[in-house]
Amino acid sequence: MLAQIDAAIEADDRVALHASLDPLHAADIADIIERLAPARRRLLLELYADEIDGEILSEIDESIREDVVEQLPRGVLADAVREMDSDDVVDLIEDLDEPERAEILAALDDSDRAAVQQSLTYPDYSAGRLMQSEVVTAPEHWTVGDTIDFIRAEEWLPEQFYHIILVDPRRHPTGYVTLGRLLAARRDMPLRSLAEDSFRTVSVMAKDADVAYMFNQYHLISAPVVDADDRLVGVITIDDAMAVLDEEHEEDILRLAGVNDESHVSDGPVTTARQRLPWLVINLFTASLSAIVITQFEATIEQLVALAALMPIVASTGGIAGTQSLAVAVRALATRDLNRSNARRVVMRELGAGMLNGLGLALILGLAGTLIFRDVNLGVVLGLAMIANQIVAALGGVLVPLGLNKMGLDPALASGTFVTTMTDVMGFFAFLGLATLILI
Amino acid sequence: MLAQIDAAIEADDRVALHASLDPLHAADIADIIERLAPARRRLLLELYADEIDGEILSEIDESIREDVVEQLPRGVLADAVREMDSDDVVDLIEDLDEPERAEILAALDDSDRAAVQQSLTYPDYSAGRLMQSEVVTAPEHWTVGDTIDFIRAEEWLPEQFYHIILVDPRRHPTGYVTLGRLLAARRDMPLRSLAEDSFRTVSVMAKDADVAYMFNQYHLISAPVVDADDRLVGVITIDDAMAVLDEEHEEDILRLAGVNDESHVSDGPVTTARQRLPWLVINLFTASLSAIVITQFEATIEQLVALAALMPIVASTGGIAGTQSLAVAVRALATRDLNRSNARRVVMRELGAGMLNGLGLALILGLAGTLIFRDVNLGVVLGLAMIANQIVAALGGVLVPLGLNKMGLDPALASGTFVTTMTDVMGFFAFLGLATLILI
C-alpha cells in the first residue's frame, strides 16, 4: 500500500493517489502521512491538501502536526477545524505555536472558540483538556417524551453521544440516562426513574490518567465533567479515555527502558539518537560505580583471574531479577493494584520471592562452580553472592518505583537504570568481597 | 479501607462488613477480594457470600476465580451467572475445570447456555470468545418508527447497547445506526439512510488483540461479529476491547522483563518465585556465554587488571541502548506503527542512531579513559569497543523483535534476555579483543 502511494507521489499522479487514499479511513490516511519520509510527506500534502478534513487532521500524531498544519492551505485548515469537536480542536491547538494557534481560533464560530479557549485554561493532561464541551442535557424533571421531542427538534447534536445528562436548574448534573433505556421506555416515564447507578462525575482538574483508569475500572462509556462549583462544563467519552490509556502504557514501557516518550516511528536517526543519549550518558556514570567497586578488588583478581570471568554472572542475573520485580511493580502501580494498603505485603512478597530464587540459583551456580573449578569454596562464594544480589534485586525492583511514586514522580521514570546500577554494584561487591574473604 | 474490612472480618462482624462494602462499585469490591490474603478472603466470602452477584463475579481476576467459585453457595452462583451477559459467562467459565463448568452451564437458561457453548467452540483469545450474543437488530428496510416501536415492545434488551444493527433476510449485517441518530430522526425516515460510514464487521475467528487495535484505531463503540458465512453471531463492545488493550499492554511490559504474564498482585512469594525462575535460570546459561568469552582473555587481564574493572562499562551501556531500541520496537509493533512497509527504514534509523550515540559515548568514555589512565591507547580501545557495541545494541534491539514477530511469536517474549546477552557478549569481546590487539 505504502509502495503504491510512494509511486503515485513520485509520478505526481493525483488520480492514482486519490484511488489509493480515498477509500481509506481517516485514521489510516493519517498513519500513512506519518510513515512517509518528511520530503515525501510534503509532496503528498501538496497533491492531496484539499482532502485533508477535520477527521484526518485530528488523527495525525502530534510529532508531525505542526509541519502538516503549516503546509495546509489556509481555507482547507479553516474548514477542517470547523468540523472538529472541541476536544479535538484543543488537542490540535495545544501543540501549536502562536501564529497557527491564533489562525485556528479565528476560524472557529464564536461559541466554539469560547469553548476551546476555556479548555485551554485548564492544565495539560487534565480532564478539562480532554473533554468536549458539546453535551446533550435535559432538565431532571422531564419525561421520556419531552426528551425525545427536544432531541428531534434540535438542529445540532454531537457526532457521538451515548447518554442524556440530567441537570438541575443550576446546571449541576444529577444523573444520566442511556439512549438505550430512553428508547425502550414509554413516553410518559420520568427521566429520573431511568437514571443509571453507574453515574459519576469527573472534576475538570482531574488527571487524564485517573480518568482513563476510572473508565476502565467502572466500564463507563461517557462521564460528565464538572467545574469547582460542581456545574456541568463538558463530557469525556470512552474513545478519548481509551487513547489516554494507550498513551499511558506507551509512557510506561518506554520510560522503563529509558526512552524519551516523545519518540515516534517517523523520527530520523538524529532525533532518535538525541532522545536516547541522556540516559546512556547517565549510565556511563552509574556504570563507573561498578568499575570503582571492581578496582577495589584488583589485588584479588590478580591472584585469581577466573573471578573476572565469573563476576558478570552474578551481576547480570541480579539485573534480570531486578527488572522483573520492577516491571511488576510499575504495572501494578499503573493499575492501582499496588497502593498504600498493600505496599507492605507486596514488598515482603518480593523479599520472600527474592530469597527463594536466590537459594535456587545459588544451588545451581554453586554446584556448577564447584564441579567446573573443583573448588568448594568458589562454589560457596558464587552461591552466597547470588543470594545477596537476588535479595537486593527483588527489593530494589519494588522499592525504587514505590519511592518515586511517593515523591510524586512517575514510578517508571528510568527506574531501570537505578535498579540495574544497584544490582551491578551489589553483584560485583558481594562476589569479589566474599572471594577476598574466603578464597584469598 | 482495606484495614476497616480486615478488622470487620477479624471480628466476624457482618454488619460492619456490609457497611464498608455495600456502597462500593462491584469492580472495587472485586479488587478488595483480590487484595486480601487467601485465608482472609475465605472468611470474607463466608460472611458476604449472599451479596456476590454477577457483576462482582465478572470483575474478579482470573487468578483467584476458581477459588471464589468453589466457595460460593450453589444458589448464589446460579443466580449470579443468570444475571451475566453471555460474554462474561464465557470469560468466567473458560478458566474453570469440569465440575464447576458443568454446574454453571446447568444454571443458565437454554438459550443462554446455547450461546455460551457456541462461544466456547471458538479459539481462546478470539473475537468469538469476546463477543456477547445479545444483539439488537432490525431488518434493513424498517423505518425509524418501526424500530422504536419494536424496541419499546421488546421485553428483553441488553444491559448496554449503542447501535441498532441492520440485517438482511439472511441475517447478514449490512450497516448500523447509532441510537443518537435514531432518536434525532423523524419516525418516517428509513433506517438505511441513517447508517454510519464507520461500519465494519469482525470475523468470529479474529484475534482479540486485532479487535482491540481496530476499536482504538477507528474509534468504534461496538462492532458486529460475523461467522464464516458472514452471518451475524454477536457484538463486541468497546469496554471489552479496552480491557483487551489493557491486557495486551500488561503482557508486553511483563514479557519484555521476562515475567510470566499470569502474575498477580495477590500471589504469594512461592508463586511469584516460581513465575520468575525460568528466565533467571536461562539467564544463568546466557551469562555463562559472557564468562566463556572473558575466559579466553584471561592472559590479557592478568597483564592489565584494570581491564576487568572497565569491561562492565562497555557491556552495560550496550545493555541500556539495546533495551531502549527494543522497547521502541515492541511498542511500535503493538501499535502497528512498525510493519513490513517501513521495517527497513526503521532498522536503518536504529543503525544510524546507534552509530551516532556510539560516536558520542566513545568520545566521552575514550577521553575519560585517556585522562584517568594517562594512556591514549586505552582510550582508543574503550571508544572503539563502545561504538561496536552500540551498533550491535541498536540492531539487536530492533531485529530480535522483528524476527520473533516474523516467526509468528510474540515480539516481547523475553527478547530482553536475548538482547542483553548479545550486548554483554559483544561488549566483553570487543573490549577485551581490542585490548589484546592494541594494548598487550
Side-chain angles (χ1 to χ4, degrees):
Chain A
M1 171 53 93
L2 211 54
Q4 263 172 304
I5 289 164
D6 257 348
I9 296 172
E10 200 67 25
D12 206 23
D13 183 345
R14 205 178 287 257
V15 177
L17 190 64
H18 275 267
S20 296
L21 290 179
D22 289 353
L24 298 184
H25 188 282
D28 293 329
I29 298 176
D31 279 352
I32 286 170
I33 295 176
E34 287 163 26
R35 271 172 217 158
L36 290 170
R40 275 295 147 76
R41 186 186 304 144
R42 234 158 284 137
L43 290 173
L44 177 132
L45 285 175
E46 274 172 30
L47 289 170
Y48 202 67
D50 294 346
E51 303 297 324
I52 305 293
D53 57 13
E55 235 181 306
I56 299 175
L57 201 56
S58 52
E59 296 286 349
I60 284 181
D61 192 84
E62 43 191 66
S63 60
I64 61 159
R65 248 181 203 170
E66 186 127 27
D67 286 0
V68 172
V69 166
E70 274 174 19
Q71 228 202 304
L72 286 183
R74 304 297 89 177
V76 171
L77 180 63
D79 287 345
V81 297
R82 268 196 290 267
E83 272 175 27
M84 290 159 74
D85 277 336
S86 67
D87 56 336
D88 292 327
V89 178
V90 170
D91 190 39
L92 175 70
I93 222 174
E94 61 189 2
D95 301 320
L96 299 179
D97 289 329
E98 212 21 85
E100 282 84 22
R101 207 179 248 237
E103 200 172 340
I104 287 177
L105 283 173
L108 297 174
D109 300 336
D110 286 350
S111 71
D112 286 347
R113 187 183 316 118
V116 169
Q117 282 173 324
Q118 180 62 39
S119 255
L120 287 170
T121 65
Y122 302 118
D124 281 338
Y125 308 111
S126 67
R129 290 285 180 105
L130 200 59
M131 71 183 185
Q132 57 184 61
S133 55
E134 296 87 354
V135 286
V136 182
T137 60
E140 50 182 347
H141 59 80
W142 275 12
T143 63
V144 168
D146 297 335
T147 314
I148 292 181
D149 293 344
F150 161 76
I151 292 175
R152 286 231 177 97
E154 185 71 353
E155 292 261 313
W156 178 91
L157 286 168
E159 187 67 14
Q160 306 247 356
F161 68 108
Y162 314 106
H163 286 110
I164 307 290
I165 300 172
L166 310 190
V167 289
D168 71 11
R170 299 176 56 206
R171 216 174 154 77
H172 298 154
T174 60
Y176 58 25
V177 175
T178 67
L179 300 187
R181 286 200 173 217
L182 193 70
L183 272 166
R186 289 196 325 271
R187 282 187 61 94
D188 59 358
M189 287 280 277
L191 278 186
R192 240 344 311 146
S193 68
L194 302 175
E196 294 284 307
D197 284 345
S198 70
F199 176 73
R200 37 186 91 217
T201 59
V202 176
S203 155
V204 78
M205 301 300 281
K207 283 197 203 137
D208 61 359
D210 294 332
V211 174
Y213 168 76
M214 195 176 111
F215 270 81
N216 196 23
Q217 172 81 348
Y218 303 120
H219 306 285
L220 304 181
I221 294 300
S222 70
V225 181
V226 294
D227 65 13
D229 300 325
D230 238 5
R231 252 183 272 262
L232 183 70
V233 288
V235 67
I236 295 175
T237 51
I238 188 172
D239 54 326
D240 296 318
M242 195 172 182
V244 171
L245 192 76
D246 200 44
E247 279 161 31
E248 289 293 311
H249 286 301
E250 172 150 42
E251 235 179 70
D252 279 349
I253 203 165
L254 294 184
R255 284 193 175 173
L256 258 182
V259 181
N260 181 325
D261 51 56
E262 301 280 307
S263 84
H264 189 264
V265 74
S266 68
D267 296 335
V270 179
T271 315
T272 302
R274 217 166 27 200
Q275 283 158 355
R276 302 197 192 158
L277 193 59
W279 284 106
L280 289 170
V281 172
I282 289 170
N283 188 68
L284 267 192
F285 287 96
T286 60
S288 305
L289 292 178
S290 301
I292 292 169
V293 169
I294 297 168
T295 305
Q296 310 311 310
F297 296 101
E298 278 189 0
T300 306
I301 295 173
E302 230 155 26
Q303 288 188 51
L304 191 58
V305 173
L307 296 179
L310 294 173
M311 63 185 192
I313 298 183
V314 175
S316 114
T317 313
I320 300 282
T323 307
Q324 290 178 327
S325 172
L326 181 61
V328 170
V330 165
R331 169 70 190 171
L333 282 166
T335 58
R336 319 294 200 262
D337 277 338
L338 174 55
N339 53 37
R340 263 212 326 224
S341 77
N342 63 350
R344 223 186 103 90
R345 230 197 72 213
V346 171
V347 172
M348 295 310 290
R349 193 258 320 254
E350 292 295 327
L351 177 63
M355 284 166 59
L356 286 171
N357 278 341
L359 277 171
L361 294 166
L363 267 176
I364 303 174
L365 186 63
L367 217 66
T370 304
L371 292 175
I372 294 170
F373 292 88
R374 301 183 181 282
D375 183 347
V376 178
N377 285 340
L378 180 60
V380 170
V381 168
L382 280 169
L384 290 178
M386 180 63 89
I387 293 174
N389 206 22
Q390 286 291 313
I391 292 175
V392 167
L395 286 181
V398 64
L399 290 176
V400 167
L402 276 175
L404 287 169
N405 193 50
K406 196 155 191 179
M407 290 188 285
L409 297 171
D410 182 342
L413 193 61
S415 27
T417 311
F418 293 131
V419 173
T420 52
T421 301
M422 283 169 67
T423 54
D424 274 354
V425 167
M426 184 61 192
F428 295 129
F429 177 75
F431 178 65
L432 295 174
L434 286 165
T436 308
L437 287 177
I438 297 179
L439 298 179
I440 303 299
Chain B
M1 170 53 92
L2 210 55
Q4 262 172 304
I5 288 163
D6 256 349
I9 297 172
E10 199 67 25
D12 205 23
D13 184 345
R14 203 177 288 257
V15 177
L17 191 63
H18 275 267
S20 297
L21 290 179
D22 289 354
L24 298 183
H25 187 283
D28 293 329
I29 297 176
D31 279 354
I32 285 170
I33 295 175
E34 286 163 26
R35 269 172 218 159
L36 289 170
R40 274 299 146 74
R41 186 187 304 142
R42 234 159 284 137
L43 290 174
L44 178 133
L45 286 174
E46 273 172 32
L47 291 169
Y48 202 68
D50 294 347
E51 303 298 323
I52 305 293
D53 58 11
E55 235 182 305
I56 299 175
L57 202 56
S58 52
E59 296 286 351
I60 284 181
D61 192 85
E62 44 190 64
S63 60
I64 61 158
R65 250 182 203 170
E66 186 127 27
D67 287 0
V68 172
V69 166
E70 274 174 21
Q71 228 203 305
L72 285 183
R74 304 298 89 177
V76 172
L77 179 63
D79 286 346
V81 296
R82 268 196 291 269
E83 273 174 28
M84 290 159 73
D85 278 335
S86 67
D87 56 336
D88 292 327
V89 178
V90 170
D91 190 38
L92 175 70
I93 221 173
E94 63 189 0
D95 301 320
L96 299 179
D97 289 330
E98 212 21 85
E100 282 83 22
R101 208 179 246 237
E103 200 172 340
I104 286 177
L105 283 172
L108 297 173
D109 301 336
D110 287 349
S111 71
D112 286 347
R113 188 183 315 118
V116 169
Q117 282 172 325
Q118 181 60 42
S119 253
L120 287 170
T121 64
Y122 302 117
D124 282 337
Y125 308 110
S126 65
R129 289 286 181 106
L130 200 60
M131 70 183 185
Q132 57 184 62
S133 55
E134 296 86 353
V135 286
V136 182
T137 60
E140 49 183 347
H141 59 81
W142 275 12
T143 63
V144 167
D146 297 334
T147 313
I148 292 182
D149 293 343
F150 161 76
I151 291 176
R152 287 233 176 97
E154 186 71 351
E155 292 261 313
W156 178 92
L157 286 167
E159 188 67 16
Q160 306 247 355
F161 69 106
Y162 314 106
H163 286 110
I164 307 290
I165 300 172
L166 310 189
V167 289
D168 72 10
R170 300 177 53 209
R171 218 176 153 73
H172 298 155
T174 59
Y176 57 26
V177 176
T178 67
L179 300 188
R181 286 201 174 216
L182 192 70
L183 273 166
R186 287 196 328 268
R187 281 188 61 93
D188 59 359
M189 287 282 276
L191 278 186
R192 233 1 297 148
S193 67
L194 303 174
E196 295 284 308
D197 285 345
S198 70
F199 177 74
R200 37 186 91 215
T201 59
V202 176
S203 154
V204 77
M205 303 299 283
K207 283 197 202 137
D208 61 359
D210 294 332
V211 174
Y213 168 77
M214 195 176 112
F215 270 80
N216 196 22
Q217 173 80 348
Y218 302 120
H219 306 284
L220 304 181
I221 295 298
S222 70
V225 181
V226 294
D227 65 14
D229 299 325
D230 237 4
R231 250 183 274 262
L232 183 69
V233 288
V235 67
I236 295 175
T237 50
I238 188 173
D239 54 325
D240 296 318
M242 195 172 183
V244 171
L245 191 76
D246 199 44
E247 280 161 32
E248 289 294 311
H249 286 300
E250 172 149 42
E251 235 178 70
D252 280 349
I253 202 166
L254 293 184
R255 284 192 176 173
L256 259 181
V259 181
N260 180 324
D261 50 55
E262 301 280 308
S263 85
H264 188 264
V265 73
S266 69
D267 294 335
V270 179
T271 315
T272 302
R274 218 166 29 202
Q275 282 157 356
R276 304 198 192 157
L277 193 58
W279 284 107
L280 288 169
V281 172
I282 289 170
N283 188 69
L284 267 192
F285 288 97
T286 59
S288 305
L289 293 178
S290 300
I292 292 170
V293 169
I294 297 169
T295 305
Q296 310 311 311
F297 297 100
E298 278 188 0
T300 306
I301 295 173
E302 230 153 26
Q303 288 186 52
L304 190 58
V305 173
L307 295 179
L310 294 174
M311 64 186 191
I313 298 182
V314 175
S316 115
T317 313
I320 299 282
T323 306
Q324 290 178 329
S325 172
L326 181 60
V328 169
V330 165
R331 169 69 191 172
L333 282 166
T335 57
R336 320 290 201 264
D337 278 337
L338 174 55
N339 53 35
R340 263 211 325 225
S341 77
N342 63 349
R344 224 186 104 90
R345 231 197 71 212
V346 172
V347 172
M348 296 311 290
R349 195 256 321 250
E350 292 294 327
L351 178 63
M355 284 165 59
L356 284 171
N357 278 341
L359 277 172
L361 294 166
L363 268 176
I364 303 174
L365 186 63
L367 218 66
T370 304
L371 292 174
I372 293 170
F373 293 88
R374 301 182 181 283
D375 182 347
V376 177
N377 284 340
L378 180 59
V380 170
V381 167
L382 280 168
L384 290 178
M386 180 63 90
I387 294 174
N389 206 23
Q390 286 291 314
I391 292 175
V392 167
L395 286 180
V398 64
L399 290 176
V400 166
L402 276 175
L404 287 169
N405 193 50
K406 195 154 192 180
M407 289 188 284
L409 297 172
D410 181 344
L413 194 60
S415 27
T417 311
F418 293 132
V419 173
T420 52
T421 301
M422 286 169 65
T423 54
D424 273 353
V425 167
M426 184 62 192
F428 295 129
F429 177 75
F431 178 64
L432 295 174
L434 287 165
T436 308
L437 287 177
I438 298 179
L439 297 179
I440 304 298

